Amino acid sequence: MALPLLPGNSFNRNLGKEKFHKSQHWGYCNNVSMLLGEDKPGIGGEPLLGQKPKPKYSVFPKGIGSDAPSWVAFDKQVLSFDAYFEEEVPDKNQELYRIRHCKIYFYLEDDTIQVIEPQVKNSGIPQGTIVRRHRIPLPLPHEDQFYTIDYFNINTDIIFYSRRYKIVDCDQFTKNFLRKLGVRLNPPAYRPEDPYTMERQKIADSMKPLRPYECFDTLRQFLEHDGHVLRFYCTWDDTESMFGVPRELILHYFLADDTVEIKEVLSANSGQDAVPLFLKRNKLPKYAPTGLYPPGAITDRTVLNVFGGLVGNKGRYILDNRKTGAVHQEFYKDCDLTIGSVINVWGRKIILCDCDEFTKEYYRKKYGIKDFTPIPYKALHPPKIERKFPPYTGFGSEEDSLCSCLGLFPKPPQKDFKKFMEKDRNGLESNVLRFVAILITDNPIDKGRKFIISYFLSDDTLSVFETTQKNTGILGGKFLERGRIKKPGQELFKSEPSEYYAAQDLFVGARVCFHGHNFLLVDADEYAFNYMEKHANEFSMADINIILNKLKAIGEPSSREIKQIFAATDPEHTKMIEYDSFRNLMVNITNGKLSEHEIMTIGRYYSVRDEAEMDVNFLLAVVQEQLKKNTFENFRQLFATFVYNDCKKCGLLPHDECRTICKSFRLPVADDLLRALLTMFEDCKEQVDYKKLVDGLNWRENPITVFQTIRSPPKYEDDWSGQPQFLPVKKIKYLPLIEDMFGTEE
């Protein structure tokens, strides 16, 4: 009798030693005896007994295909196989085994494999990923190698971790890939169904009724017309009821489901309750001749009682396909809604009077309707009663008294804040027009008095300041407080607002009356002239085109005489005449039809001016003084930045770009002063010579001592005494004026 192999048996020990020597053997490394793995070959590189050579390269021959690595060449390329495996079910009588279908994915980039089982509803077993993605080793005795693409084909078995999978088919990409590799594909195998799943499907199918229920498919209509709404403007005459009035309605017809919604348009102070909807969105039935149907009379389906009352109290009902007892009710469709038609909305007759553009286009395309003449439906509003305000009482200002009549709670009058922000002082822009005025009086003492009238554009206010004159016996100073001044000749207590002096009423030669004092404006400062000429569309007295048109109309009949007068005034043929002579000529030619301001505008337009209107050295001296106080010496880097931004290397840069560069260096100079300085170094194309600019700013190498030689400090506009700041117009070029008036002589 053979003895069993026990742990202490000598044969068992020898067998274990033999297995150990097959897998491991001893070797020497640096004259040290070490235990080596089974991969080390024997003497001469020959494999030892029991060793299996491993492939040095992949299964594909070297040199065939692309040289790109596999993770690049086969990126996102996966082979998909349809497979199934059988699973025993020992604990259930209903089924002995189970067929489980799955998908096998082979990733070409790294030869990894993943097995996924699709989810089956109410299966009761965990499904999803059966084998996670990784390289799967071959079954014994080749467990040291892994599955490659060579092991996959249709109608073959494959074993993953002792579970046998039957590959039945694959997708088209997998078939094409395998054919390119030279694999002969087997025909697809039979795919068995799970018996228990089929049994459950039969039970589920038997529970479903086989009666021919009707199917109302409204999905297509919804998808085609979702969001498309027809809008009609309609009216309902409700005058027959007590306190009834015609009501204005808006009808919405939704093309997606043929439903109707009606909203009521309520005017302000109508006295009616504001409800969200006049008719809730629903299908609108046409009014039946017999009246309304009782509840339950209209149903989507009808049934028939097969046995009636023959079998006790029980009955058997089936679906009535013929709809013998069905009640058909018609609903309003889009074809029933046209302009001028009357629809019945639950007993209320509503007239469709008009529609929007989308509705017109819809009926034009679908039904070919072209006439969309609207029906007048809106009631005529009573004439608006003009509101009359009570006359001014004399207490407070007129605007303040008017605000007490506009509401129950009086509010202070609102100022034009936008105009205030636009016309307020901003840098060198003072937005104040200053004029020199004298009193119109016969009193010899008051004839020599001079006044400065300042008009503030931000709030349309005026102030009068009298200049100090020596040995007159009259103290100068504030003559009139700043405020708005009414024009003379207006009634004090009246309902209409009074008229105040505006900027257009002030010009050289104008006569104004301020609280009983008559003034004649005889001159203005340079800023006033420039502002009025810049905004010539607001000031007609400074619009050269309007003035030239007046001159043409006046002097065209005697154009030859006017030319002879101008030529006689210039005996030396210098083509220029003095301004005083020019003014006297214009007064004689126009017979006083041109104001003094218009004559001065012509003289300024055709004058001979000096180009240097501001001392550049003085401006540079002021800027250098500010730079010196703030210890700014970074001139080399400033010049390097200018050169870097000069792409054309011409030494010129635009005005705005130079200003931006100076701002980036935080140049301690006011913005208005910087703009004026950049303008001094501009050419005719508004290009700044930045080299001259930097040289002028450099107070270390190019100091300007003119600043110390100035005897009197500069005067600001607020200190203007009525004297011209710049040289007045001296000479006039009359030939361009004659050409603009009468044209060029042939």
Side-chain angles (χ1 to χ4, degrees):
M1 184 175 181
L3 295 174
L5 294 177
L6 300 176
N9 194 294
S10 61
F11 177 77
N12 194 14
R13 290 196 300 269
N14 295 333
L15 182 60
K17 290 179 181 179
E18 184 180 355
K19 289 184 178 180
F20 175 78
H21 286 295
K22 280 187 177 181
S23 60
Q24 305 287 340
H25 64 277
W26 292 90
Y28 290 91
C29 182
N30 296 331
N31 298 324
V32 178
S33 178
M34 299 182 64
L35 187 64
L36 302 179
E38 63 175 354
D39 296 337
K40 184 176 180 181
I43 299 174
E46 296 293 336
L48 299 176
L49 184 62
Q51 280 187 345
K52 298 176 182 178
K54 292 185 177 180
K56 189 175 182 181
Y57 303 102
S58 65
V59 296
F60 304 102
K62 187 177 181 181
I64 298 178
S66 175
D67 293 336
S70 60
W71 52 271
V72 175
F74 300 111
D75 184 30
K76 298 180 182 179
Q77 296 187 13
V78 185
L79 304 184
S80 176
F81 297 92
D82 297 329
Y84 72 91
F85 64 92
E86 294 184 7
E87 184 181 31
E88 294 183 359
V89 185
D91 299 333
K92 291 183 67 175
N93 296 329
Q94 291 85 357
E95 53 179 343
L96 300 178
Y97 66 94
R98 186 176 297 153
I99 302 295
R100 298 177 64 175
H101 301 276
C102 58
K103 287 275 189 180
I104 300 176
Y105 296 107
F106 185 88
Y107 295 86
L108 296 172
E109 56 181 342
D110 54 0
D111 292 351
T112 55
I113 301 173
Q114 185 182 16
V115 182
I116 296 178
E117 182 181 8
Q119 296 283 346
V120 178
K121 187 178 181 181
N122 298 327
S123 64
I125 56 177
Q127 294 176 319
T129 302
I130 299 176
V131 180
R132 64 177 179 83
R133 178 181 172 182
H134 67 289
R135 297 186 67 188
I136 300 178
L138 295 175
L140 294 175
H142 306 287
E143 69 277 5
D144 57 340
Q145 300 182 23
F146 298 93
Y147 276 102
T148 60
I149 191 59
D150 294 338
Y151 293 94
F152 289 86
N153 201 341
I154 302 176
N155 201 0
T156 57
D157 294 343
I158 194 167
I159 299 175
F160 295 155
Y161 298 111
S162 303
R163 176 175 286 176
R164 185 178 297 274
Y165 295 86
K166 179 72 173 182
I167 299 177
V168 295
D169 202 357
C170 62
D171 59 358
Q172 191 62 37
F173 172 77
T174 306
K175 292 179 181 179
N176 296 336
F177 188 83
L178 293 176
R179 288 194 184 100
K180 290 180 180 180
L181 292 180
V183 179
R184 179 173 295 179
L185 295 177
N186 300 327
Y190 170 70
R191 181 179 181 179
E193 298 291 339
D194 183 28
Y196 183 69
T197 304
M198 294 179 63
E199 186 67 24
R200 290 192 53 176
Q201 186 66 32
K202 289 180 181 180
I203 297 174
D205 293 341
S206 63
M207 298 176 64
K208 293 182 180 179
L210 300 178
R211 294 185 294 274
Y213 280 99
E214 291 181 333
C215 180
F216 300 98
D217 186 13
T218 59
L219 180 61
R220 180 176 180 180
Q221 181 182 0
F222 173 78
L223 294 177
E224 290 181 353
H225 298 289
D226 182 30
H228 296 173
V229 183
L230 305 181
R231 176 181 294 179
F232 291 90
Y233 303 98
C234 44
T235 181
W236 170 40
D237 190 4
D238 191 29
T239 54
E240 296 181 359
S241 61
M242 184 179 295
F243 308 111
V245 293
R247 300 198 179 185
E248 185 180 347
L249 307 173
I250 296 178
L251 185 143
H252 292 155
Y253 183 87
F254 298 87
L255 296 173
D257 52 359
D258 299 327
T259 54
V260 176
E261 175 188 83
I262 300 178
K263 295 182 179 181
E264 185 175 4
V265 180
L266 297 178
S267 59
N269 301 324
S270 63
Q272 301 177 4
D273 294 333
V275 294
L277 289 175
F278 184 82
L279 178 65
K280 187 176 69 173
R281 178 179 176 180
N282 206 339
K283 286 192 174 183
L284 182 61
K286 295 183 179 179
Y287 195 74
T290 57
L292 300 177
Y293 294 100
I298 301 175
T299 58
D300 294 336
R301 300 181 177 88
T302 58
V303 294
L304 297 176
N305 191 350
V306 179
F307 298 126
L310 299 177
V311 188
N313 294 330
K314 297 181 179 180
R316 183 175 179 84
Y317 299 94
I318 62 174
L319 185 66
D320 183 11
N321 295 330
R322 301 294 180 180
K323 297 183 180 181
T324 55
V327 178
H328 298 282
Q329 186 179 17
E330 296 183 0
F331 297 92
Y332 279 103
K333 300 290 184 181
D334 55 349
C335 56
D336 302 322
L337 305 178
T338 55
I339 295 178
S341 61
V342 180
I343 61 175
N344 194 320
V345 181
W346 302 106
R348 298 169 178 82
K349 295 183 179 180
I350 294 179
I351 304 174
L352 305 183
C353 302
D354 199 1
C355 60
D356 60 356
E357 291 299 327
F358 173 79
T359 307
K360 294 178 182 179
E361 188 66 22
Y362 175 80
Y363 280 93
R364 191 179 293 113
K365 289 183 178 180
K366 186 173 182 180
Y367 298 104
I369 300 177
K370 298 181 179 180
D371 186 14
F372 298 98
T373 304
I375 299 175
Y377 63 97
K378 291 187 177 181
L380 297 176
H381 296 284
K384 188 176 181 180
I385 300 175
E386 184 180 359
R387 181 184 297 180
K388 294 184 179 180
F389 299 102
Y392 175 55
T393 59
F395 294 97
S397 63
E398 293 186 6
E399 293 80 4
D400 193 19
S401 300
L402 183 62
C403 289
S404 63
C405 303
L406 297 177
L408 186 61
F409 300 99
K411 296 181 181 180
Q414 297 292 332
K415 295 183 179 180
D416 193 349
F417 186 73
K418 182 180 178 181
K419 181 179 180 181
F420 175 78
M421 294 300 294
E422 290 178 353
K423 300 298 183 181
D424 194 18
R425 176 185 291 275
N426 184 14
L428 295 178
E429 291 288 333
S430 63
N431 288 313
V432 179
L433 307 182
R434 293 180 175 87
F435 300 88
V436 180
I438 58 174
L439 281 173
I440 303 175
T441 178
D442 296 333
N443 189 351
I445 299 176
D446 295 337
K447 283 186 177 181
R449 300 171 65 181
K450 278 189 177 183
F451 301 88
I452 297 177
I453 300 176
S454 301
Y455 185 88
F456 299 88
L457 296 170
S458 59
D459 54 358
D460 299 328
T461 55
L462 286 159
S463 68
V464 182
F465 179 85
E466 185 175 4
T467 60
T468 303
Q469 298 182 22
K470 295 181 179 181
N471 302 324
T472 58
I474 299 175
L475 298 177
K478 185 186 296 183
F479 183 81
L480 181 63
E481 185 72 26
R482 177 179 175 179
R484 300 178 67 190
I485 301 177
K486 297 180 183 179
K487 291 184 177 181
Q490 302 183 74
E491 186 181 353
L492 179 61
F493 304 105
K494 62 182 185 304
S495 301
E496 295 79 11
S498 300
E499 187 178 356
Y500 294 85
Y501 276 105
Q504 289 76 14
D505 301 324
L506 304 179
F507 53 89
V508 179
R511 295 172 180 265
V512 293
C513 180
F514 297 160
H515 303 300
H517 296 81
N518 296 318
F519 294 93
L520 174 65
L521 307 186
V522 295
D523 200 359
D525 64 349
E526 186 68 18
Y527 179 81
F529 283 116
N530 291 334
Y531 182 88
M532 297 173 75
E533 291 170 1
K534 185 178 180 180
H535 301 81
N537 56 338
E538 301 177 11
F539 302 92
S540 60
M541 296 296 176
D543 193 346
I544 189 65
N545 296 322
I546 297 177
I547 300 172
L548 288 177
N549 291 332
K550 284 185 180 180
L551 283 175
K552 289 179 184 179
I554 295 172
E556 192 171 3
S558 56
S559 60
R560 180 172 297 180
E561 291 79 0
I562 293 174
K563 293 178 182 179
Q564 292 176 358
I565 293 173
F566 275 106
T569 311
D570 183 21
E572 299 179 359
H573 303 286
T574 59
K575 300 180 181 180
M576 293 181 293
I577 57 177
E578 298 292 334
Y579 175 77
D580 295 335
S581 303
F582 172 77
R583 178 190 174 280
N584 296 331
L585 285 176
M586 297 302 297
V587 171
N588 295 331
I589 292 172
T590 59
N591 295 325
K593 294 182 179 180
L594 289 182
S595 64
E596 192 68 28
H597 196 111
E598 290 175 329
I599 297 175
M600 295 177 70
T601 301
I602 300 174
R604 289 170 57 85
Y605 189 79
Y606 295 99
S607 64
V608 180
R609 289 193 178 187
D610 297 334
E611 296 182 359
E613 294 186 356
M614 185 179 292
D615 191 1
V616 181
N617 293 330
F618 168 70
L619 194 59
L620 285 175
V622 175
V623 174
Q624 283 190 5
E625 188 69 17
Q626 294 184 9
L627 296 178
K628 188 184 299 182
K629 288 180 179 180
N630 291 273
T631 64
F632 182 86
E633 300 180 0
N634 199 5
F635 299 107
R636 291 187 178 179
Q637 189 174 357
L638 178 62
F639 180 73
T641 306
F642 279 122
V643 174
Y644 176 78
N645 287 272
D646 186 8
C647 299
K648 299 181 180 179
K649 305 301 179 184
C650 58
L652 300 174
L653 283 176
H655 179 98
D656 295 335
E657 189 172 355
C658 292
R659 177 174 169 268
T660 304
I661 294 173
C662 294
K663 286 292 184 181
S664 64
F665 277 83
R666 297 183 179 181
L667 208 66
V669 181
D671 187 62
D672 51 358
L673 191 59
L674 179 61
R675 290 176 182 270
L677 184 63
L678 292 175
T679 306
M680 293 299 173
F681 293 95
E682 284 182 356
D683 57 2
C684 58
K685 297 182 180 180
E686 297 184 356
Q687 298 288 323
V688 179
D689 189 347
Y690 56 82
K691 186 178 184 305
K692 293 182 179 179
L693 174 65
V694 176
D695 292 341
L697 294 176
N698 195 341
W699 56 273
R700 280 288 187 187
E701 299 179 0
N702 305 313
I704 299 177
T705 58
V706 180
F707 184 71
Q708 285 80 8
T709 61
I710 298 177
R711 296 180 180 178
S712 60
K715 292 186 178 181
Y716 298 98
E717 289 187 6
D718 296 336
D719 302 329
W720 185 56
S721 60
Q723 300 298 328
Q725 294 179 347
F726 306 101
L727 293 177
V729 178
K730 292 183 177 181
K731 294 185 178 181
I732 307 297
K733 296 180 289 186
Y734 62 89
L735 287 182
L737 173 62
I738 295 175
E739 292 178 0
D740 293 340
M741 289 175 57
F742 309 114
T744 306
E745 294 184 357
E746 297 181 359

